[in-house]
Amino acid sequence: MVKKSNMSAAEAIIDGLGGPSNIKFMTCCATRLRFELNDSSKPDKASLEAIPEVMGCVPQSGDRYQVIIGGAVMSVFNQIKALPSMQDGAETSEATENTEVSNSDIKASLRSGGPRGRIAWIDSFFEYLSDSFRPILGVLLGASLIIAMTSVLDAFHIVDFRGAKSPGWVFVDSMWHTVFYFLPIMIAYNASKKLKVDPWLGAAIMGALMTPDFQKLTTMASTVATKDPVLGTTSYMAHIFGLPMQLNDYSGQVFVPLLMVGFLAIVYRFLQKIFPQNVHMVFVPFFSLIIMIPLTAFVLGPIAVWAGMDLGTGLAWMNTHAPFVFAIMIPLLYPFLVPLGLHWPLNALMLMNIQTLGYDFIQGPMGVWNFACFGATAGVLFLSWREKDSMMRQTSVGALAAGLFGGISEPSLYGIHLRFKKVYSRMLPGCLAGGIVIAILGAAYGGVKTKAFAFTSLLTIPVFNPMWVYGIAIAVAFFVPFFLIAIMDYRTPEEKAAALARIKSEKKSA
């Protein structure tokens, strides 16, 4: 099955999957098209991966299939939906709808080779974390680039952000601060959607703790303020109808909405059972609000804040007292956590650190892994250019662009690294070398830190401090796997022989 010259990418993808009649369901996530097929034997993997817009394919358990596109996934998704042959065919869903099964399947198959992981509830837990964050990656990336822009202006002394800011730059701050201030509401919405609860209900409950009325409680005469002489922070205890309530600033919190929605799902389903269906619209939201807002304000919110602070403090202790171990451990763990979706708790901790400590110390070592990943992709691009392998060149160019300018590793991982057996053995030395650089050069500074949640790309280098340490570390991490792949290849002898045979065949048919 070969793509015809006059066939669009959308048409070629559907053709490679066995035609419109073989598509039962279609959706997409941040980088991948996800299909549920009628017959999983029909897709032609080689033809699909020969399409320039396709970075790779991942057959899944059952009749599910993933086609990796990268940053242009939504455009291709819309083009497929617009095809006349698809108008009366497959059921489709935008971005995050009904993705939980396919997400679970690919991660579980990586874990154990079966349709589910060894411990189902652990799979479900990490899927819950992942799907609560994944839909907002775009706005998080946009906000991080605004922060990077202001950091560049400050680093080159074009604008001084350390003193009093002009109204114009205060307004610019609001452009990125909106994402992180209202992050709990966004997470509550996505988490509720994941657990099949009315997402606006979850958002409203979290929003109640961020209203001016709730914040006004800190200024009430009956509220007791206590100053911490060590941290220099002030805690507040309000008295609501005679009951003590610890007041927290819930802006930027991530653990609070995640914990709250978990309990909301239990309450929501209980209320649906006890009330007749014809009055669900009135009484289920009403009782959910009057139960969950007090429960979150009095119990769940403070517990989640304490837990997040303790976790962050624990890792901060390790970063301070065992910096060498910490700087090496993080970049060596990430290559195994990210493909399985197990990195989300650390991402949540980064946001929590910024909220509670005012800075984060995990993203610096994490950037080492990212650039080792991108360096391996660059090595694949170098070899594909030398061998005139148009298919791998297209895949690696797209993946490298998504990585270097967006900080997104999925196209590299799913399009290249997990497909070829020797990539990880070339990439991990880069993770190790970059971690050692941060451990040695960053020791005098307490590691590499940042005050922003930044996707680790070329554009966000200025947000890290000390910038020169971070710059050297990611450069080492990038070039070690690049040269290892350029010299030693990324394929087994059998994989290389198959690739050269394919290239030779493509040249003959051209």
Side-chain angles (χ1 to χ4, degrees):
M1 195 182 296
V2 181
K3 177 182 174 181
K4 299 172 186 176
S5 58
N6 62 344
M7 189 181 288
S8 69
E11 292 171 319
I13 289 170
I14 296 302
D15 188 52
L17 290 168
S21 62
N22 197 36
I23 311 297
K24 185 187 298 183
F25 178 80
M26 177 180 74
T27 185
C28 72
C29 69
T31 58
R32 285 161 283 167
L33 296 169
R34 303 173 184 272
F35 297 92
E36 186 173 342
L37 308 176
N38 290 310
D39 184 351
S40 60
S41 66
K42 287 187 176 181
D44 186 333
K45 194 170 187 288
S47 294
L48 285 166
E49 291 182 343
I51 300 169
E53 291 80 1
V54 174
M55 295 182 178
C57 299
V58 184
Q60 297 178 251
S61 61
D63 294 317
R64 295 180 179 87
Y65 206 88
Q66 292 190 10
V67 179
I68 303 155
I69 303 295
V73 66
M74 186 54 70
S75 175
V76 176
F77 179 71
N78 290 330
Q79 290 169 22
I80 291 176
K81 286 199 301 180
L83 292 174
S85 59
M86 295 294 291
Q87 295 304 306
D88 299 317
E91 182 186 352
T92 62
S93 174
E94 299 287 342
T96 59
E97 295 286 338
N98 296 313
T99 60
E100 61 267 24
V101 177
S102 55
N103 284 337
S104 299
D105 281 350
I106 187 168
K107 293 178 178 65
S109 64
L110 283 169
R111 285 189 179 100
S112 63
R116 288 292 297 173
R118 290 189 179 91
I119 305 176
W121 72 266
I122 293 180
D123 282 346
S124 299
F125 172 71
F126 284 109
E127 282 301 319
Y128 173 61
L129 291 178
S130 176
D131 287 349
S132 297
F133 281 96
R134 187 183 291 113
I136 56 176
L137 288 181
V139 292
L140 285 171
L141 175 58
S144 74
L145 292 181
I146 296 174
I147 296 170
M149 176 193 73
T150 59
S151 298
V152 169
L153 294 174
D154 185 64
F156 289 98
H157 304 291
I158 298 172
V159 180
D160 183 9
F161 288 105
R162 293 177 177 83
K165 295 180 182 178
S166 69
W169 289 109
V170 171
F171 175 69
V172 170
D173 280 348
S174 72
M175 295 181 185
W176 64 263
H177 194 233
T178 177
V179 176
F180 297 102
Y181 185 87
F182 294 109
L183 186 64
I185 297 176
M186 300 180 194
I187 292 174
Y189 181 93
N190 292 329
S192 300
K193 205 170 184 180
K194 172 67 179 176
L195 297 185
K196 296 180 173 58
V197 173
D198 180 357
W200 292 111
L201 189 58
I205 293 167
M206 198 63 240
L209 307 186
M210 300 173 65
T211 60
D213 292 323
F214 185 83
Q215 298 303 319
K216 195 188 298 181
L217 291 172
T218 60
T219 63
M220 303 291 283
S222 60
T223 298
V224 178
T226 305
K227 191 171 182 65
D228 188 316
V230 178
L231 299 176
T233 58
T234 302
S235 60
Y236 298 91
M237 185 70 72
H239 291 84
I240 310 299
F241 300 118
L243 298 174
M245 176 196 291
Q246 178 187 317
L247 299 177
N248 297 291
D249 179 6
Y250 289 105
S251 62
Q253 294 287 340
V254 291
F255 292 124
V256 177
L258 290 169
L259 181 61
M260 178 273 291
V261 172
F263 279 85
L264 171 62
I266 298 170
V267 171
Y268 189 82
R269 285 172 176 72
F270 173 74
L271 293 172
Q272 284 183 319
K273 286 180 181 178
I274 65 173
F275 285 106
Q277 193 168 358
N278 59 344
V279 295
H280 275 186
M281 180 177 286
V282 178
F283 291 107
V284 172
F286 168 67
F287 281 103
S288 294
L289 289 170
I290 65 171
I291 292 171
M292 287 306 305
I293 292 175
L295 181 62
T296 305
F298 279 98
V299 182
L300 301 179
I303 287 175
V305 170
W306 292 335
M309 289 180 66
D310 288 345
L311 285 170
T313 302
L315 283 177
W317 181 91
M318 185 177 183
N319 185 50
T320 302
H321 293 86
F324 203 92
V325 175
F326 184 84
I328 295 174
M329 177 185 72
I330 293 295
L332 285 176
L333 277 177
Y334 257 86
F336 303 98
L337 297 179
V338 175
L340 301 172
L342 304 182
H343 61 300
W344 290 104
L346 281 174
N347 289 357
L349 273 175
M350 295 171 194
L351 290 162
M352 193 73 180
N353 287 338
I354 292 168
Q355 176 68 13
T356 56
L357 302 176
Y359 64 89
D360 175 60
F361 48 85
I362 302 174
Q363 291 176 77
M366 186 202 74
V368 166
W369 124 255
N370 255 4
F371 276 87
C373 172
F374 307 149
T377 303
V380 173
L381 175 60
F382 172 78
L383 289 183
S384 64
W385 215 291
R386 190 172 68 184
E387 296 171 355
K388 297 181 172 58
D389 186 345
S390 59
M391 185 183 81
M392 287 306 299
R393 186 167 65 239
Q394 289 281 352
T395 300
S396 50
V397 164
L400 190 59
L404 293 179
F405 298 107
I408 301 171
S409 59
E410 274 191 327
S412 290
L413 277 173
Y414 291 105
I416 301 171
H417 300 185
L418 295 174
R419 292 169 55 197
F420 298 97
K421 297 175 181 177
K422 290 188 175 292
V423 173
Y424 264 54
S425 64
R426 315 299 191 235
M427 180 174 64
L428 290 175
C431 295
L432 177 63
I436 290 173
V437 170
I438 283 189
I440 295 173
L441 298 183
Y445 305 94
V448 172
K449 300 171 183 175
T450 177
K451 294 181 179 180
F453 182 78
F455 285 65
T456 47
S457 68
L458 289 175
L459 302 177
T460 58
I461 291 174
V463 307
F464 291 93
N465 182 47
M467 186 168 61
W468 69 273
V469 173
Y470 179 72
I472 293 174
I474 60 174
V476 169
F478 182 90
F479 284 109
V480 166
F482 172 80
F483 285 118
L484 286 176
I485 285 178
I487 295 168
M488 302 170 65
D489 211 293
Y490 62 98
R491 300 158 293 191
T492 63
E494 295 78 13
E495 288 171 339
K496 184 174 182 179
L500 294 176
R502 174 179 50 78
I503 295 168
K504 188 176 180 180
S505 175
E506 287 172 354
K507 287 179 179 178
K508 286 183 179 179
S509 62

